[in-house]
Amino acid sequence: MAAAKSHPDKDRFKSRIPSPEMQREVAAKTLEFGDWLEKNVDPDKVPPEMRHRIAYALNYARKQFEVIGKQTNFLKYVKHMWPEFIQGKHHTIMADALQQVSDGKQKRLIVEACPRSTKSEFCSVYLPTYHLGRFPHTKIMQFSNKKTLATKFGGQVKTRMDSKEYHAIFPSVWISRDVKSREAFETDFFGGRYVAMGVGAKAAGEGGDIIIIDDPHSEQDIIGGMKGSKDRWDQKWEWFNGIRQRLQPNGAIVIVATRWAPGDITGRCLQEHAKGLENWTRLSFPAIEMDPETGEERSYFPEWKPLEELQKLRDQLPLWQWMAQYQQVPMSRGANTIRTEWWVKWDRREDPRPGEVVGKYKIPPVTYKIQCWDTAYGKDKQKSDYSACTTWGVFQEPVYSKELGKTEMQNRLILIDAVRGRWEFPELKERCRAQFKLHKPDVALVEVKASGYSLIQEMAQSGITLHPHAVSRVSDQANDLGSRLHLVSDIFRQGMVYALTEERWAMDVVEETSTAPHGDHDDYATTVHMAVSRFRKLGFIKLGDDRSDDEDEDGVDRNSIRPSGYY
């Protein structure tokens, strides 16, 4: 590969180039001087030659001010380079984040959106050209699951950097003329570099100030993952760990991807974030989202993809494919799952009703609390399954009834807290005592199995009553978790369950439930079924086909633990 052209005074020349901020300040001062002249100086008293020079200077300053705006604002730059661009609200969010990447303020970014959302154009085409224009001495590495796709991105980057529109914004940045490749090229004079490769490449000798990974998983990865094989996920993760060692100091990584499985690269990065190992920012744009004010479905990009078109596509695609490609919720084929968008987002920091504060949010007063445990413990904490606990409450919320034509108070459920860990039995007991003391539930449930019975007996000696939760006896086919979640799915679909989805623990519960029973873990999902089914059995939440008898399926009289006078 031919080296970029060099110059003996390159470093001294670069130091003389004024920064965009300095250029902006000079242009602003020039325009300010022009305004002062217009207000304070009689034009007839200014010599014609001087008037011409002033007009030229002001016109130049206005043009320069406009150019500097495009040099320092990613979205303005995109609109300049792409006049036909149709802007949606998700583009504004993406552009702000990518601006932060170029400014060096955002180091780890994940962008998830459905096909034809402009995510690749923004991240894999316009971000490299914009950043190399601003900082032509930097290095960018671009990866995609196929080398042909990476080469295509490289060609688009090169074409835009060779265009007159580009040089109108960055006149001093050119691609070295003696480099013909679309996969790797340098910026003339400055020594910056762009390289595009397929995922799996070792990239020996390369380094990047920005590493962009666009659509890292191949069709073979997806098919293998759907069949339950984790080998391909593991191989890609191993490759990713090697590539990020190529990152320059203070560099940034941008991942553009569709979520296919909890074990894909994005999922594992989010696990790192949850453990505090990396600070990832995740931008996820479900194709169909719920309007927080009306509770009705709406398109994420109505200017380009009308809601009716997306709803029709949802009906045509297999559920697992729709959830992965369009909703960014990984799941397995044939999974009976609770969709992420069915959870109602609770984001109120203020509420006039007396209630408790959970994290940075205030929840309304709950009239009944249920705490659920799914237990597992072993001597080896690294290999044992998780034990998990979720705490729930029922509260009243004003809901507009189309049938009645008015707003009435109805019961709703809210996830208040969630914890889990690999705990040995002594620590599990302490965690149980702490959660019971913290939330003071009206009833605490433990799934019936060996470890559950042991915990019930131990807690009884501490004065804490834990009720065993038996699997439904509706039918033998309903004993698996997927079928049990299906039995309560209508409660979620009708918008009866709230979650503080900005809290990390709540996000974990929502995501795991959406992938159950085929995700990496199902402990949280088990407690979700326990809680929601118990609220339903107690009569707090009702569906049209609910039974009217008072006896619980595991032999507990509903009225014995229902608060008196609730209805």
Side-chain angles (χ1 to χ4, degrees), residues 65-74 76-78 80 130 169-170:
F65 202 75
E66 181 181 351
V67 168
I68 294 167
K70 296 172 183 177
Q71 288 179 345
T72 56
N73 185 289
F74 179 75
K76 289 182 179 179
Y77 165 76
V78 171
H80 169 81
Y130 177 69
I169 304 300
F170 302 111

Side-chain angles (χ1 to χ4, degrees), residues 13-29:
F13 177 78
K14 284 165 53 178
S15 68
R16 293 181 178 181
I17 299 177
S19 66
E21 290 74 16
M22 184 181 298
Q23 296 179 55
R24 186 201 300 270
E25 184 178 354
V26 171
K29 291 292 184 182

Side-chain angles (χ1 to χ4, degrees), residues 80-95:
H80 169 81
M81 296 292 294
W82 188 3
E84 302 83 7
F85 169 65
I86 299 175
Q87 183 178 348
K89 66 176 184 179
H90 70 292
H91 292 125
T92 303
I93 298 172
M94 272 199 290

Side-chain angles (χ1 to χ4, degrees), residues 101-114:
V101 170
S102 184
D103 290 343
K105 299 176 181 178
Q106 177 65 261
K107 304 298 184 183
R108 302 290 184 273
L109 178 66
I110 295 170
V111 179
E112 303 169 356
C114 67

Side-chain angles (χ1 to χ4, degrees), residues 220-406:
Q220 288 75 19
D221 297 335
I222 299 164
I223 294 174
M226 292 299 174
K227 293 180 179 179
S229 173
K230 297 182 180 179
D231 292 344
R232 288 188 175 273
W233 306 132
D234 293 340
Q235 290 171 6
K236 290 296 173 67
W237 182 246
E238 183 179 352
W239 168 84
F240 175 75
N241 281 328
I243 285 299
R244 60 177 165 183
Q245 296 178 39
R246 298 288 173 183
L247 191 65
Q248 300 279 79
N250 299 315
I253 300 176
V254 178
I255 298 177
V256 189
T258 293
R259 290 301 313 279
W260 289 110
D264 60 15
I265 287 179
T266 302
R268 299 193 188 194
C269 288
L270 293 175
Q271 291 173 15
E272 286 188 339
H273 177 81
K275 296 175 183 178
L277 301 176
E278 286 274 21
N279 186 23
W280 286 93
T281 296
R282 179 189 185 191
L283 301 182
S284 185
F285 303 101
I288 295 180
E289 55 189 10
M290 301 296 290
D291 189 313
E293 296 183 358
T294 65
E296 297 180 353
E297 292 184 339
R298 66 184 183 189
S299 168
Y300 80 110
F301 191 11
E303 299 87 350
W304 182 252
K305 298 191 178 220
L307 176 62
E308 296 75 15
E309 180 181 323
L310 290 172
Q311 290 173 330
K312 182 179 179 180
L313 187 61
R314 179 176 62 188
D315 294 337
Q316 295 171 339
L317 293 176
L319 178 59
W320 67 269
Q321 187 176 357
W322 165 262
M323 294 301 293
Q325 281 191 297
Y326 287 84
Q327 296 301 100
Q328 311 313 314
V329 178
M331 58 181 293
S332 297
R333 297 191 189 194
N336 290 321
T337 189
I338 294 170
R339 300 183 185 180
T340 298
E341 66 266 28
W342 289 350
W343 293 76
V344 184
K345 182 178 180 180
W346 185 274
D347 55 5
R348 305 176 202 173
R349 304 194 181 196
E350 298 292 336
D351 194 295
R353 297 170 288 182
E356 59 183 291
V357 176
V358 178
K360 55 186 177 182
Y361 302 101
K362 183 179 180 182
I363 64 173
V366 297
T367 55
Y368 198 78
K369 282 185 182 180
I370 292 179
Q371 192 170 88
C372 300
W373 281 90
D374 178 39
T375 60
Y377 59 88
K379 295 182 179 180
D380 190 339
K381 296 180 66 173
Q382 300 300 320
K383 296 182 179 180
S384 61
D385 291 333
Y386 282 106
S387 290
C389 171
T390 55
T391 304
W392 305 73
V394 62
F395 69 100
Q396 290 211 317
E397 182 77 349
V399 178
Y400 179 76
S401 172
K402 293 182 179 179
E403 295 162 350
L404 300 177
K406 63 178 182 179

